[in-house]
Amino acid sequence: MKTKDFFRMEYAQILIYIVFLGLLEVLLFIFEVNYFLMIYLLLIGLILEGVYLCQRYMKKYRYYKKVKAKLDILEQKCMITEMLELPDFAEGEFLYEILQTCNKSMNDEILKYKIEAAGYREYIEMWIHEVKTPLAATRLILENHPSEITRAMDEEMQQINYYLEQALYYARSNSVEKDYLVKELSLKEVVENAVKANAKSLIGNKIKIKIENLDQKIFSDEKWVLFIVKLVDCLEKCLIYGHIRRFAD
């Protein structure tokens, strides 16, 4: 808090006090009180007012300086209300109560949103799993009746499956810690599994995959890494870590 801001807020009280001292001096003068006593009382009154104002200013200055320091170190500024201490001056207590009420209301809204988002995410996951069941049955029927048409349909069905996986992983992205198991993996095995999953599409499009320099270990979740590798446009358009290259016959 700046000094000029403090005096701008306190000017009314200061003005009233000065008027009171002036009236008091006029009364003392009317009753012919000793001039030295009048001056002494005036000085005492001004000193007491100065001490009172200094005490109020320092109390507010220390409190708001502490609040500003806490605000500067916070990445999420909205969390400042969680770190506030109850001030020991009236207007500060009033402001503190307002902020705590606003904070409670905000937390209630966030909780409401989280509950709604969790319900929607569960619905999406359930819907995707339900759709995958007839999708898998359809692909099985197509495999049992091979032809140029069914092979083309199977590729499109596989593409639909990829889109469903994208939606499923996106729905789980905010709660990844519930479905995330980090362990040591072979990068080569992960890429080979992705190639096998796309084998029909690659063969149908006459695409040959050459894998080089992938004999290394990584620490990650196997399902998520496999999902990321598989989504690089079926390994047809991108280089993966500079080691997987596309060759057309």
Side-chain angles (χ1 to χ4, degrees):
M1 173 180 285
K2 297 180 180 179
T3 306
K4 63 178 182 179
D5 295 331
F6 173 78
F7 281 105
R8 188 172 64 249
M9 291 186 297
E10 299 288 339
Y11 80 93
Q13 188 269 340
I14 295 173
L15 182 61
I16 292 173
Y17 188 78
I18 291 175
V19 171
F20 170 76
L21 288 179
L23 292 176
L24 180 61
E25 291 295 311
V26 170
L27 288 175
L28 293 176
F29 177 78
I30 292 175
F31 288 102
E32 298 181 353
V33 177
N34 185 280
Y35 290 143
F36 291 104
L37 180 60
M38 292 172 59
I39 295 173
Y40 177 76
L41 291 175
L42 178 63
L43 291 176
I44 292 296
L46 293 174
I47 291 173
L48 291 176
E49 178 67 6
V51 171
Y52 170 75
L53 291 175
C54 288
Q55 185 267 342
R56 281 177 57 83
Y57 172 75
M58 291 306 299
K59 185 181 293 186
K60 293 183 179 182
Y61 174 79
R62 285 193 296 266
Y63 179 76
Y64 290 125
K65 182 180 179 180
K66 188 182 297 184
V67 171
K68 182 64 168 56
K70 291 179 178 179
L71 185 64
D72 290 339
I73 63 176
L74 280 176
E75 293 184 2
Q76 297 180 339
K77 306 301 183 183
C78 61
M79 299 301 295
I80 184 62
T81 53
E82 300 291 340
M83 302 182 65
L84 288 181
E85 299 176 359
L86 181 63
D88 56 354
F89 51 95
E91 56 266 38
E93 292 179 359
F94 180 68
L95 177 62
Y96 178 84
E97 291 176 359
I98 291 176
L99 290 176
Q100 292 300 318
T101 301
C102 293
N103 184 59
K104 183 180 182 303
S105 177
M106 180 185 69
N107 289 334
D108 292 341
E109 288 297 319
I110 292 175
L111 180 60
K112 178 182 176 182
Y113 168 78
K114 286 183 175 180
I115 293 174
E116 293 177 352
Y120 179 74
R121 184 173 60 250
E122 290 176 2
Y123 170 76
I124 291 296
E125 292 180 9
M126 180 184 66
W127 181 85
I128 291 173
H129 286 300
E130 289 180 352
V131 171
K132 279 192 170 187
T133 301
L135 184 64
T138 303
R139 292 190 62 188
L140 183 60
I141 294 173
L142 294 176
E143 290 177 359
N144 292 331
H145 299 80
S147 67
E148 290 296 327
I149 296 178
T150 56
R151 277 194 292 270
M153 292 178 63
D154 185 63
E155 289 183 7
E156 295 301 322
M157 298 295 287
Q158 187 175 3
Q159 193 66 26
I160 293 174
N161 188 62
Y162 287 143
Y163 291 145
L164 288 174
E165 287 186 2
Q166 288 184 46
L168 181 61
Y169 278 84
Y170 179 78
R172 292 175 174 174
S173 61
N174 291 330
S175 58
V176 66
E177 70 281 354
K178 298 179 181 178
D179 193 37
Y180 199 81
L181 178 61
V182 177
K183 63 180 181 179
E184 186 179 49
L185 302 172
S186 169
L187 183 58
K188 183 177 181 180
E189 291 181 3
V190 173
V191 174
E192 288 177 346
N193 291 334
V195 173
K196 290 178 182 178
N198 292 277
K200 290 184 179 180
S201 177
L202 296 172
I203 294 172
N205 290 280
K206 297 182 179 180
I207 295 173
K208 181 180 178 181
I209 302 296
K210 185 177 181 181
I211 299 175
E212 298 176 344
N213 304 323
L214 290 180
D215 294 322
Q216 51 185 301
K217 301 294 183 180
I218 60 173
F219 287 90
S220 186
D221 179 78
E222 184 175 4
K223 291 186 297 183
W224 282 83
V225 174
L226 181 61
F227 170 72
I228 293 171
V229 175
K230 286 168 62 179
L231 287 182
V232 188
D233 199 16
C234 301
L235 309 179
E236 295 178 5
K237 299 179 181 178
C238 299
L239 300 178
I240 301 178
Y241 301 109
H243 299 305
I244 303 176
R245 299 182 181 140
R246 179 170 66 91
F247 292 88
D249 292 339

